[in-house]
Amino acid sequence: MKKVKKYNQEVKGLLIDDETRCVHYSTENDRIAIKFYCCKIYYPCHACHEEKGCGHSAVWPADQLDKKAVLCGSCGHELTIAEYFQSTYTCPACEANFNPGCGLHRNLYFGS
């Protein structure tokens, strides 16, 4: 397992670069890491957390959308869950694009 330190935030998982891309998701726009509610550690994706994480997957409760839980792999900006939902898959700090396909896995990270 590789660890990357991005602007004082540690990201764990099967990383392949310092923008938080991993062996599971490595396109140009795959540049976020998500802090998992169960362990409060950033991982690039649900598969990295399943393989190398705490072993207890839990999603962020719907009443905690104000928590910083998404990390831009380009600039290191931490977004709250609500900011991420409203971001239109673009970092509000550096304008780097995020992968819109991540929305398909929303239920693996965030409660409704």
Side-chain angles (χ1 to χ4, degrees), residues 83-98:
E83 288 173 324
Y84 177 67
F85 290 164
Q86 297 165 1
S87 72
T88 62
Y89 302 104
T90 303
C91 178
C94 73
E95 299 183 356
N97 292 321
F98 301 149

Side-chain angles (χ1 to χ4, degrees), residues 36-55:
F36 278 75
Y37 180 72
C38 45
C39 58
K40 307 299 188 276
I41 296 172
Y42 277 107
Y43 286 87
C45 74
H46 61 93
C48 282
H49 182 258
E50 287 174 21
E51 293 176 31
K52 301 293 181 181
C54 67

Side-chain angles (χ1 to χ4, degrees), residues 9-63:
Q9 297 300 323
E10 187 174 74
V11 180
K12 295 182 179 180
L14 300 170
L15 295 155
I16 60 171
D17 70 13
D18 65 354
E19 284 200 338
T20 73
R21 291 178 189 89
C22 68
V23 299
H24 307 103
Y25 298 98
S26 58
T27 69
E28 172 62 26
N29 291 338
D30 289 316
R31 62 169 49 94
I32 66 163
I34 298 168
K35 185 184 294 182
F36 278 75
Y37 180 72
C38 45
C39 58
K40 307 299 188 276
I41 296 172
Y42 277 107
Y43 286 87
C45 74
H46 61 93
C48 282
H49 182 258
E50 287 174 21
E51 293 176 31
K52 301 293 181 181
C54 67
H56 305 288
S57 190
V59 300
W60 284 93
D63 65 349

